[in-house]
Amino acid sequence: MSILAENWTSDFITTNQVKLHYVTQGEGPLMLMLHGFPEFWYSWRHQIPEFAQVYKVVAVDLRGYNESDKPKELSAYSIKELILDVKGLIEGLGYDECVLVGHDWGGFIAWNFAYRYPQMLSKLIVLNLPHPTKFKQGLGTIQQLLKSWYIFFFQLPFLPELYLQADDYRTVGEAFTKMAINKNTFSEADLNAYKDAAAKRGALTAMVNYYRNLFPSLFATQQTQGLLNVPTLMIWGENDLALGQELTYGTEEYVRDFQIRYIPNCSHWVQQECPELVNQYIWEFLNAEPMGE
């Protein structure tokens, strides 16, 4: 059974020397959606039809994930390459700018892209991923270090891949079911979709290679210093087991036009667990007048 809705189109685009897969619906200004770990485009299934009413929504498989190319070199997953993928996507789809939406790793890429190419974004929306400077500060605390144990585990060779694929990719499924507050959020079909994507040849190593490049990316602080001039919305599920809510405090010091909406009784998987509220907050942000106008 296909997980594609009837009116969604699956397509590929080659940019930055990789072929990227994406799902799209709608016409209009571009809204580009970047997923996190261990996901793929499917994590935006509740947002694609909603925003396709006004936008051309494109939910991409990041390089290394699902049906996109999976380069073998570790360096292929540096933040520099991930930013260039986004730039190439926007241009390759025939646009000068977009509304960029990112969750988890997609959020990290989105923050970095916004600093590098602010002129290519009309608005930025980040879900459950702190500003890179706040995250770096958080990793200096015992509280966040304990939550981020898996980041350090993922630095090891081979073992993370073996761990993730053991017992029919059980850990991939449990990443969703154990973290979700509403245990009915993910159906068996949803979990199987994520497991199937992770099981594609080369995907696990590619997915973990994001983490193996994290520290060089995170500590290149000059990339995300200064005041960001892109209007930005952060949406935060308050019951995130991986990232503490305190990482969001003070973000307004780094973004000129910044809004944050907290969602209680909701996990890291915020757009899947509370899609109606997430969609509402995004619409409110998109329809608001920019600050100072």
Side-chain angles (χ1 to χ4, degrees):
M1 180 179 173
S2 173
I3 56 175
L4 277 176
E6 286 183 13
N7 47 357
W8 297 354
T9 301
S10 172
D11 209 341
F12 291 87
I13 189 168
T14 298
T15 178
N16 195 25
Q17 299 180 313
V18 291
K19 186 170 74 169
L20 300 176
H21 171 256
Y22 65 92
V23 168
T24 185
Q25 183 186 0
E27 293 299 331
L30 177 62
M31 178 180 284
L32 179 58
M33 296 180 165
L34 311 177
H35 65 81
F37 171 93
E39 303 168 279
F40 63 109
W41 70 259
Y42 186 68
S43 62
W44 301 108
R45 63 195 177 280
H46 303 300
Q47 283 70 47
I48 295 169
E50 177 72 18
F51 295 99
Q53 299 172 72
V54 173
Y55 292 87
K56 178 179 179 65
V57 179
V58 171
V60 67
D61 287 335
L62 298 177
R63 64 163 62 199
Y65 281 85
N66 194 39
E67 295 186 48
S68 288
D69 279 355
K70 303 164 183 64
K72 292 184 178 179
E73 303 81 8
L74 177 61
S75 60
Y77 301 92
S78 68
I79 191 63
K80 175 187 172 187
E81 298 300 335
L82 302 174
I83 290 171
L84 289 174
D85 286 354
V86 175
K87 181 175 185 286
L89 270 167
I90 296 168
E91 294 172 341
L93 290 165
Y95 290 83
D96 298 319
E97 65 172 22
C98 74
V99 174
L100 187 60
V101 187
H103 169 255
D104 186 77
W105 258 103
F108 185 70
I109 298 167
W111 277 121
N112 280 274
F113 183 85
Y115 273 91
R116 181 66 182 84
Y117 297 106
Q119 73 280 7
M120 296 186 72
L121 298 185
S122 57
K123 292 195 172 183
L124 173 66
I125 302 168
V126 179
L127 293 75
N128 277 74
L129 198 287
H131 187 282
T133 299
K134 299 298 298 181
F135 187 40
K136 187 174 71 170
Q137 292 170 358
L139 288 176
T141 68
I142 294 296
Q143 183 179 9
Q144 185 56 47
L145 280 173
L146 291 172
K147 292 184 178 192
S148 298
W149 65 269
Y150 60 94
I151 294 176
F152 299 94
F153 173 61
F154 284 168
Q155 304 306 310
L156 299 173
F158 311 120
L159 280 177
E161 288 91 328
L162 293 172
Y163 174 70
L164 289 167
Q165 73 183 33
D167 193 16
D168 187 29
Y169 296 83
R170 178 174 54 85
T171 303
V172 172
E174 288 180 347
F176 299 98
T177 57
K178 287 194 170 181
M179 291 175 74
I181 302 301
N182 178 358
K183 299 304 180 184
N184 296 318
T185 297
F186 298 100
S187 68
E188 186 175 355
D190 295 335
L191 298 176
N192 284 337
Y194 287 121
K195 290 181 179 182
D196 288 347
K200 292 183 186 295
R201 181 174 293 182
L204 280 183
T205 295
M207 291 156 66
V208 174
N209 277 346
Y210 277 70
Y211 289 94
R212 291 173 176 142
N213 276 286
L214 175 60
F215 291 110
S217 300
L218 199 57
F219 287 90
T221 51
Q222 70 276 10
Q223 292 180 350
T224 52
Q225 282 184 336
L227 193 64
L228 183 65
N229 281 315
V230 179
T232 301
L233 170 68
M234 181 183 282
I235 298 175
W236 198 272
E238 292 185 354
N239 301 83
D240 192 327
L241 296 179
L243 296 163
Q245 185 173 314
E246 68 279 357
L247 298 177
T248 67
Y249 303 154
T251 304
E252 63 277 1
E253 297 173 20
Y254 302 94
V255 186
R256 183 182 68 84
D257 183 352
F258 178 71
Q259 300 176 35
I260 185 159
R261 305 300 295 261
Y262 294 105
I263 300 182
N265 304 312
C266 187
S267 73
H268 179 73
W269 314 113
V270 61
Q271 79 270 27
Q272 298 179 78
E273 192 164 5
C274 300
E276 295 85 3
L277 207 47
V278 166
N279 294 352
Q280 176 190 325
Y281 289 157
I282 292 177
W283 275 128
E284 289 173 0
F285 173 67
L286 293 172
N287 294 327
E289 289 298 321
M291 204 158 118
E293 294 192 6

